[in-house]
Each structure stands twice: as structure tokens, then as C-alpha cells.
Amino acid sequence: MKRFFSGWSLIKLYTLVVYVWMFTPIVAVVLLAFNPQQFGSFPMEGFSFKWFVKLSHNSTILDAFKNSLVLGSLTAVFSTAIGVPAAMAFIRYDFRGKDFLNTLLIAPIMIPEVVLGVALLLFIRWLQQPKSFALLLIGHVVLTLPYVLLIVQARLVGIKKEYEEAALSLGANPFQTFMDITLPLLAPAILAGMLFAFTISFDDVTATLFWASAQNQTVPVKIFGMLRNSISPEINALGAVMIVLTVSTPLLAGYLTRRFAKRK
Amino acid sequence: MKDKTWKPWILLSPSLTAVFLLLVIPVCFVIVYSFWLRGPSGQDIPAFQFGNYAKFFEDSFYPSILLSTLRVAFETVILCLVMGYVPAYFFYKTESKLKPFLMILVMLPFWISFIIRTLSWINILGDSGLINHLLIKFGIINSPLAMLYNEGAVIMGLLQYLLPFMILNIYVSLDGIDKSLTEAAKSLGCTEWQAFREVTLPLSLPGVSAGCLLVFVLTCGTYLPPMILGGPGNEMIANLIFKRVIGTLDWPFGSAISTILLLLLMVIVYTYNRYMGINQIFKTLSSES
């Protein structure tokens, strides 16, 4: 028993070390964002908001933020709009080639983004279309669709088919059944899928580097460009803002869903 | 019960159209283009020849990048496994009230921008980064150690990106194990360690292999960590593709390299699917929500 205890302590210590390893760099970004010096590095001398102020006056970054927000929101909407019906088809119906098609729709997860980037760009080039916001949007929808599908399918499996059948037998048409029965039960998964799609789109660099034109830069692509010089406190400040935004969104969403669930 | 109705096809048609039009057809284009020629002034000439592939394998430079990509992927898988198994096992065993909080912390990196997680290592490993700062402050070294812009730094960035995938894959697999099995083993006289080795470890292998495959495949296609944390000698295959396509606009050669990467990953995923079944991976990915 004593030996097991020491083994368990070692496991706890090991886990703690992994956590420290995982979060030290992230904490360093946030800390260094407040470093008043010109070079964003240790040692920290003082504490200042000046890089955040500078950031808030940087119009190219603000534009990129706007692009990223619009792109992420539209990606989330389109991706769930086509992903939810597909998930319904896979879970509620049985048809020929179902497994193959399901794998095909989820395959983009396993295909490197560089290859996706080259492929879509090549196709657009062959069609003699310029790079545009629409290209970015359709690209991001393809990138995020597999995640929406996986999340919505996982939830749909847990919703009993009998509820829908009951509504149908009481005279509701399929559309009413979906709106009144399935959709409310599925709402948390749809929200989660949208959030996931938004974050993936908001976060994507590699494929976006292929698809973005000079007018359609997103925040990560902008950061990538800024890194060519060297890491400045401004990048750390931008990083800190992004961390706070992207971490608080899902936490807030989780909190809100729980609150609404309680109220009902 | 196979319904012979058109309903599922209506529901599927938007997704299928999108994926066919924006993924299947474009990837076919990449394969077709890989046989084309590049004209003297940069125009694409339709052809069917293997010159681009020959170019890749004749010069030792390109295969060496392919090999080093595979090596880095292998090293990353091993390190992810070493760093990931114990925390996953901790989650499985712990009865601490902090468990939900600790699990959220593992998921948290998924929500933090990949580029920021990657560049964060500059603050740690750089000449005036945290490690050098501490080492100099405590008088252990006089001049900063060069820890950035080498393969080690690239692997640090990759681990930061991929470790949560590995931990969750293993945890999902462990979580599916009936705890009474280890109790039974112990009541039959096994020690804690023997019970782990004989019961828990073998039953967690599907998760381990799923995690390894995911980490390997994602590393093979990675672009950012070598770009940001690697030196000139640490290019990986994705960087090569990017350079050929965006840098020198050599579409046919870039397509050939993309095809080689794609083929390689398909062989790996196919082999895995044959023996393990790909569903394991999708199971974990969908539980991430």
C-alpha cells in the first residue's frame, strides 16, 4: 500500500510538471504584453498598458480583427447550416454507401492543410477566378464541416428517434417535427459546433495564407507577417487579447447554456 | 432496414456538393497538375510525364526533407506519448473534485490560437527568454544558450499543439475500461503495477494508437512550427510545398510534392484503418465538444 502511495504521488507530480510545461509559454505571452520595454523579453521592468493602447490604434490589426470576426461568424453559420442536415441523414436514415460518405465528409481532418490550400487555390486558378473573400469563406466551411458533423452526430445519437416518431404520428409534418422536437434537443450541439467552427476559422493560418488576398487578411495571418521582424511586445499584447477572447467565449457560452438549462 | 427514399440524399446534398466541388475535385486537380510541365516563362503546359516526380527523387535535397519530416513526426509521437499517458491515467484514476477543472485546462489550448501557442516558445527559449534569463540570473551560464531555431524548438512547438489530442485520446480509451477489472486482478493477487500492466495498459492501446496516428499525421502536414521556431535546416515537407507554390509559383512541382505527401498519409491511414478501425479517432474528436 505504501508503494502504491508513492507511485500515485509520482503520477500527480508528473501531471503537474506537464501542466507547468503546457502553460508557462502561454502565461509568458500574457505577462510580457505588459512589459514596457521595446523588446518583448525577460527581465520585465515595470508594468504598462502601452502596447495595448498602441494596438488599439493600429488600423490594419483592427481591420484584420473585423475580417476574422465576419469570416468566423459566416463560416460557423454556413458550416452548421449544411452540417446539421447531413448529420440527420447519417444518424436517422440507412442508405447505400453511408459509411463511405460519412468517412468522405470527415476526411478533411486527415488531409494536411497545405494540400487543401494548394488544391482549392489551383482550382480557383483554373477557373480563372481571383482570390476573394468568398474563396476564404468556402475554404473555411470545408475545413470546419467535419468538426460540426462529428459534434452534431455525437449528440444526435443520444436523442431518441421515438420523440420524432411520436410527433409525426400526432400529425406534425417533418419540418414541424424538426423545429419543435429535434432542434431544441439538438441546440447545445449546434451551438458547440458553431463555436468550434468559429474558433477553427478564427485560428487558421496555413490554409488562410494560401487563400487570403491582401485585402482579406485575418488576425493570425497578420501576426504571421509581424513575426518576420522579431517578436515585439505588440505581438504579445495581441496574443494576450486573443487568448482572453478565445478562452472566455466558450467558457461564457458554457455558463450561459447551464443557466438557461436551470431556468427551464 | 434500408429505406429506399430520397430523403437522406436531400439532407446530404448541400454537404456532399460542397465537399465534391471544393475538396474532391480540387484534390484531383492537384494530382493531374503534378504530371504537367512548367514552361520557361512560368506557364503551365498540360502533359502526362513523370518529370516532377523524377526531380523530387533525383536530387537528394527533397527526399532528405521528406525523411526529416518523418523523423520529426516519429520523435513528436514518442514524446507526446511519454508526456501524455501519465496525465491521462491521472484523470482516469483521480477522485479529486478538481477533475472537471483540470480537464477543462487540458481542453483550453484548443481554444488558444495555434500561432500564439507556437510563438509563445520564443519567449521561453529565446536568447532573452525565460530559461536563459533564469540561468544567467542564477549564475549558471554567462552567455545565453542557443535553444531557438533548431529541431528541438520545432518539436516543442509541435508538442504544445498536439499534446492535448494525445491526452484526450488516451483518456477516452481509459475511461471506457471497467474499473472492476483491475479490482478483480488485484483480488487475484496482482500488485497495482501488475494490474496496470496486464489489464489497464492493454485495454488502453486503442486510444494510444489513435493518438499516435493523429499526432503523426498532423505533424507530417505541419507548416507553422518549422516556419516560426525552426532554422533554415529545419524545413518540413509542408514548408517545401508552400515555397514552391506561393514562392516560385511552380504549380506542377508543388502539386507533385503535395501528391507525394498525400499518398504517404493515405498509406499510413489506410494501414491503420485496416488493423484498428478509424472510428476510434472520430470518437475522441467528437467528445472534444
Side-chain angles (χ1 to χ4, degrees), chain B residues 108-161:
Chain B
L108 210 57
F110 282 120
W111 299 97
I112 296 175
S113 167
F114 177 29
I115 192 163
I116 288 162
R117 277 187 283 159
T118 309
L119 71 84
S120 67
W121 283 100
I122 301 177
N123 291 325
I124 303 296
L125 303 172
D127 281 356
S128 50
L130 185 65
I131 295 177
N132 275 320
H133 168 64
L134 290 177
L135 288 177
I136 292 173
K137 198 177 163 197
F138 292 113
I140 298 165
I141 51 168
N142 293 319
S143 56
L145 300 172
M147 286 178 288
L148 215 50
Y149 310 122
N150 54 39
E151 195 172 300
V154 175
I155 290 178
M156 280 293 157
L158 282 166
L159 287 173
Q160 177 85 24
Y161 163 43

Side-chain angles (χ1 to χ4, degrees), chain A residues 3-4 8 10-12 14-15 18-19 21-26 28-29 32 40-43 82-83 85-86 88-90 92-96 101 103-116 118-123 125-126 131 138-139 142 145 147 150-151 154 161 174 192 195-196 199 203 205-206 209-210 220 223-224 227 231 235-236 238-240 242-243 246-247 250-251, chain B residues 1-3 5 7-9 11-12 14-16 18-27 29-30 33 44 82-83 86-87 89-91 93-94 102-106 108-117 119-124 128-130 133 156 159-160 163-164 192 213-214 217-218 221 223-224 227-228 238 241-242 245-246 251 255 258 261-262 265 269 278 281-282 285-286 288-289:
Chain A
R3 265 202 65 195
F4 165 60
W8 183 238
L10 271 180
I11 288 172
K12 281 205 270 195
Y14 195 106
T15 307
V18 171
Y19 269 99
W21 177 88
M22 209 149 67
F23 286 101
T24 306
I26 296 168
V29 167
L32 288 172
S41 57
F42 290 100
I82 66 172
M88 291 283 294
F90 285 129
R92 288 290 185 257
Y93 295 92
D94 218 345
F95 50 90
R96 274 173 76 103
L101 289 178
T103 311
L104 177 80
L105 289 189
I106 293 168
I109 291 182
M110 308 299 273
I111 300 179
E113 265 184 49
V114 218
V115 177
L116 288 177
V118 175
L120 198 49
L121 198 54
L122 194 61
F123 188 48
R125 204 171 89 102
W126 185 77
K131 286 185 190 179
I138 56 178
V142 174
L145 183 62
Y147 295 95
L150 284 172
I151 291 168
K161 207 178 172 178
L195 263 174
F196 226 89
T199 336
D203 190 21
V205 192
T206 310
L209 278 172
F210 279 94
I223 295 176
F224 185 76
L227 273 174
I231 183 158
I235 297 186
N236 282 324
L238 185 51
M242 296 261 288
I243 290 171
T246 51
V247 168
L251 292 183
Chain B
M1 129 217 99
K2 302 244 181 238
D3 315 296
T5 91
K7 272 188 208 144
W9 298 102
L11 292 170
L12 272 175
S15 288
L16 284 182
V19 168
F20 264 107
L21 209 62
L22 305 170
L23 184 83
V24 178
I25 295 176
V27 167
F29 262 83
V30 171
Y33 252 68
D44 311 325
V82 170
M83 287 178 75
V86 175
Y89 186 74
F90 170 79
F91 291 139
K93 276 282 182 181
T94 187
L102 292 172
M103 291 290 293
I104 288 178
L105 277 186
V106 172
L108 210 57
F110 282 120
W111 299 97
I112 296 175
S113 167
F114 177 29
I115 192 163
I116 288 162
R117 277 187 283 159
L119 71 84
S120 67
W121 283 100
I122 301 177
N123 291 325
I124 303 296
S128 50
L130 185 65
H133 168 64
M156 280 293 157
L159 287 173
Q160 177 85 24
L163 189 60
E192 183 78 27
L213 176 78
L214 203 60
V217 167
L218 290 175
Y223 171 78
L224 268 193
M227 197 65 202
I228 293 177
I241 295 172
F242 195 85
V245 170
I246 299 291
W251 291 91
S255 298
S258 302
L261 175 60
L262 208 54
L265 295 182
V269 172
I278 205 85
I281 288 184
F282 296 154
L285 284 172
S286 60
E288 267 164 30
S289 63

Side-chain angles (χ1 to χ4, degrees), chain B residues 186-216:
Chain B
K186 273 189 282 182
S187 74
L188 292 171
C190 276
T191 63
E192 183 78 27
W193 166 244
Q194 278 172 328
F196 170 76
R197 214 182 44 198
E198 302 288 337
V199 180
T200 315
L201 182 65
L203 288 173
S204 70
L205 286 183
V208 168
S209 64
C212 289
L213 176 78
L214 203 60
V215 169
F216 194 91

Side-chain angles (χ1 to χ4, degrees), chain B residues 59-88:
Chain B
D59 192 334
S60 68
F61 172 71
Y62 301 116
S64 79
I65 289 186
L66 185 62
L67 282 180
S68 73
T69 303
L70 293 175
R71 189 188 63 236
V72 168
F74 191 70
E75 288 164 357
T76 308
V77 166
I78 298 294
L79 283 170
C80 261
L81 199 53
V82 170
M83 287 178 75
Y85 199 99
V86 175

